[in-house]
Amino acid sequence: GGDALYELSGYPAGAGAGFSRLHFTTFAYPDEWGFTSQKNNPPTFFANYAQDFDPLHQHKASPYGYTRPTNDAILSYDALNTLLTGCGRVLSTNKTHVVREDLRQALAGITGAQAIQGVSGRIAFDQNGDPIDKALVILVVSPQGYIQLESLQGHFLLP
C-alpha cells in the first residue's frame, strides 16, 4: 500500500496484529539511517528533535512525536531546509531579496552534484521540479503488530 497507511495513531488498539501481511511505503522513517553506511552517524536532527520535544525524557512509552520524529516531521524539516537552501543560493548571487522565479531556478539547481542531503534522504530535482530517485522506505507490520523498516529503495545518501 501507499504512505497513507502509515498512520501512527490512526488505528484502534490491537488492529496492527491483523496487518501482519501488510507492506507499505513512506518517504521518511526514523530508523532509515540504520540501513545505511552512516548508521553510526545520523544527522543531529534526531538528537535535537528529542531534546526539543522531550527534554525531561518523560515519553518513553509512546515516543513518537517526542523522542522519535514522525514521517511528517522529518519531511517538513527537509522541505524547510531545502527552501532555505534555495533562498541562500539566490542571496549568494548578491541579490537583496528572493523573488519567485529566482527561487524556482535555485531549487531546479538542486540536482546532480548540487543535490543536498536531507534527513529523509538525498534531495534532487529535475527541471520540472519533480524529485529525482527519491529514497522510498518499505515498511512491514510484524506478526506482533509493530511497524518495521523492511527495505530502503532509491538513492538515500549523497555520493
Side-chain angles (χ1 to χ4, degrees):
D3 64 333
L5 291 171
Y6 185 32
E7 293 296 323
L8 296 172
S9 61
Y11 299 110
F19 296 156
S20 63
R21 294 178 50 209
L22 183 63
H23 299 255
F24 52 97
T25 62
T26 189
F27 292 101
Y29 187 69
D31 295 337
E32 62 190 314
W33 281 84
F35 270 62
T36 73
S37 61
Q38 296 296 311
K39 64 183 170 191
N40 296 324
N41 191 26
T44 58
F45 166 83
F46 293 103
N48 292 342
Y49 186 93
Q51 180 59 39
D52 290 343
F53 292 100
D54 192 19
L56 302 177
H57 309 287
Q58 297 174 326
H59 301 280
K60 295 194 185 303
S62 181
Y64 275 101
Y66 298 102
T67 58
R68 281 177 66 82
T70 64
N71 60 323
D72 289 336
I74 293 168
L75 291 172
S76 296
Y77 178 87
D78 277 356
L80 184 57
N81 188 49
T82 303
L83 184 62
L84 291 172
T85 297
C87 290
R89 289 181 181 186
V90 170
L91 295 173
S92 71
T93 64
N94 295 323
K95 299 206 177 194
T96 58
H97 61 282
V98 177
V99 296
R100 182 179 14 200
E101 182 56 26
D102 292 340
L103 180 57
R104 189 200 65 73
Q105 288 178 3
L107 292 173
I110 298 175
T111 189
Q114 298 300 312
I116 59 176
Q117 182 64 57
V119 176
S120 66
R122 183 185 71 135
I123 299 170
F125 302 108
D126 66 16
Q127 288 301 313
N128 295 322
D130 295 323
I132 298 171
D133 203 17
K134 176 72 177 109
L136 184 66
V137 180
I138 310 296
L139 299 174
V140 63
V141 180
S142 73
Q144 296 77 27
Y146 297 107
I147 296 172
Q148 299 173 332
L149 196 148
E150 181 177 59
S151 68
L152 188 57
Q153 305 294 316
H155 287 93
F156 187 79
L157 296 172
L158 292 174

